[in-house]
Amino acid sequence: MELLTPVEMGRADALTIAAGTPGARLMERAGAMVAQAAARLCLPGGRVLVLCGPGNNGGDGFVAARRLAGQGYRVTLALLGARSGLRGDAAAMADLWTGEVYEAAETDVGQADLIIDALFGAGLARDLDGEALALVERVNAAGVPVVAVDLPSGIDGATGAVRGVAIRASASVTFFRPKPGHLLMPGRMLAGRLEVADIGIGAGVLEAIRPLAFANLPELWAGQFPLPRMDGHKYSRGHLVAVSGPASAAGATRLAAAAALRAGAGLVTVACPEAALAIHAAKLSAVMVRAVEDADGLAQLLADRRLGTVVLGPGAGVGPETRQKLAVAADRRLVVDAGLITSFAGDARELAAALSRSPAAVLTPHDGEFARLFANEPSVLEAPSKLERARAGAALTGAVLLLKGPDTVVASPDGRAAIAANAPPYIATAGAGDVLAGIVGGLLAQGMPAFEAASAAVWLHGEAGRAAGPGLVADDLVAALRPVYRQLFARLGGPA
């Protein structure tokens, strides 16, 4: 589940070579894995065009070409740049290729049944231009399936960004561990199906590298997940308060409250103006409702220290009153979402000061809310990737930051980060973010640490979307958590 930046992957290679595995052996295995992936997508005897670049990616391509030719495929190998420019292991692998080497710029890419993109790897440090740009555009226009070596050429392995132009791959074969660029958009969309190949790099190198970015999978947070105990009861599973604004915006709060209860919180209370009591009470059978008109009323409710977790933002409204409610709730475990985030637009440092009192705080902005919150913090907004923006926002606020989207990033102030890739596109619907805030709150209420709670909530939210299926609305996500929890409990050894 670890994600390695191109620099960290370079260290993994170097440590493996220093421990006695020749670089040529790693390259041979990498090329063999690419050839296997290509063979799964192309009929025996098919026409395969291997496009090689001037670096180690090109060396992998030479190996794949040799392997496929040996299996009876009709292989054409085209090189971008001069063969004399190849160095080290890539030059050695080129010497083992006995076929013709054509110029990539003059090759008809549309005559192949499959193309192997071995032009540029994850460490690409500049935008493609000239012959390289023209070649990538021709490949994309050809409509031929593409297997990319490591990452599609033109994708930055650290950020997922397109460097000028990028190959649209059907599949990508990477080695040892994925890169952030495989999961961050638009790299994730352009990489196609991802295969992670074992080429002989031992997991022990991770102890020296100590990566801080991870794919958001249960293995990341399973050890902290609050499985129900036989001797547990509703009070031991935490009491959460979801703060509501007026009746006209009450739906968002109800979604968050219902999701928190479904996520395992023992008790949930909606704190709302008296005018909204009836609508909340009519819609939430298992959730308690209390009349709270303003920050003073919320303070009176929170005088009961058993109410240890507060979700504030969904349906709460925007403005000074919402900020005042945070001031009285700031010493609880917090989920800060929606209206509360916007209430601090341009005042991220004031929000950070309030959150410094919380034992566990999670911010859950989408891109627009994030931009508003950090409008006066160029070091955050101008970070080079979504991953680094989330990390910078977490460091500034001192809270765990959950930056939503198809590639949701959860970042901790200590630098740890998790990138999700399991949410279906149809989960982008009104109210889905309110459900996510509630799931985070429900896990926090049960004592799960903030980074793990936010990461688990994102994964659960995505799985609920998959379980609910196309055409879902936000209410469906709450109900869909039941089968997701059943499967997760079975996986983690919890009660059936």
Side-chain angles (χ1 to χ4, degrees), residues 139-469:
V139 170
N140 286 340
V144 177
V146 177
V147 173
V149 178
D150 197 11
L151 262 170
S153 292
I155 296 295
D156 187 310
T159 70
V162 172
R163 304 300 304 260
V165 67
I167 293 279
R168 291 192 299 270
S170 309
S172 296
V173 182
T174 195
F175 313 113
F176 182 53
R177 292 294 187 273
K179 317 298 183 298
H182 286 115
L183 300 188
L184 293 170
M185 296 291 284
R188 173 182 159 197
M189 186 168 60
L190 295 173
R193 187 184 69 255
L194 178 62
E195 299 182 23
V196 182
D198 177 6
I199 59 170
I201 299 175
V205 300
L206 297 172
E207 296 177 8
I209 298 171
R210 298 187 180 277
L212 291 174
F214 305 88
N216 192 346
L217 299 170
E219 291 78 7
L220 178 63
W221 38 261
Q224 301 285 351
F225 194 82
L227 294 171
R229 292 166 51 97
M230 188 65 69
D231 60 350
H233 48 79
K234 62 184 179 183
Y235 297 105
S236 66
R237 293 171 65 181
H239 192 156
L240 178 142
V241 176
V243 181
S244 175
S248 60
T253 314
R254 288 199 301 276
L255 285 168
L261 199 62
R262 185 75 76 182
L267 304 98
V268 174
T269 293
V270 169
C272 64
E274 188 170 358
L277 277 174
I279 189 170
H280 282 304
K283 296 286 187 178
L284 295 169
S285 301
V287 171
M288 296 173 284
V289 181
R290 288 283 299 272
V292 169
E293 296 294 338
D294 52 23
D296 289 339
L298 183 60
Q300 292 175 27
L301 177 64
L302 294 180
D304 184 346
R305 301 299 303 178
R306 294 175 298 178
L307 281 62
T309 303
V310 177
V311 176
L312 183 51
V318 176
E321 183 176 321
T322 301
R323 290 174 66 141
Q324 291 166 8
K325 289 176 179 175
L326 173 63
V328 302
D331 62 345
R332 308 303 165 93
R333 292 181 291 271
L334 288 172
V335 180
V336 176
D337 187 39
L340 180 55
I341 296 174
T342 301
S343 294
F344 280 88
D347 289 332
R349 293 180 187 270
E350 286 193 31
L351 177 59
L355 297 181
S356 66
R357 296 168 50 205
S358 173
V362 178
L363 301 178
T364 60
H366 55 58
D367 283 336
E369 292 162 344
F370 184 91
R372 288 193 289 272
L373 177 62
F374 295 104
N376 295 320
E377 304 295 340
S379 63
V380 176
L381 291 183
E382 296 171 11
S385 71
K386 182 172 184 174
L387 172 60
E388 295 308 323
R389 287 194 298 275
R391 280 175 163 158
L396 188 148
T397 60
V400 168
L401 197 143
L402 189 166
L403 184 52
K404 293 182 283 196
D407 52 354
T408 295
V409 176
V410 177
S412 170
D414 63 13
R416 288 177 297 157
I419 306 173
N422 67 322
Y426 39 84
I427 204 171
T429 185
D434 304 313
V435 173
L436 177 57
I439 299 171
V440 177
L443 296 175
L444 286 178
Q446 297 170 81
M448 198 173 185
F451 175 73
E452 287 79 5
S455 299
V458 168
W459 184 87
L460 289 164
H461 189 249
E463 292 301 299
R466 292 157 63 96

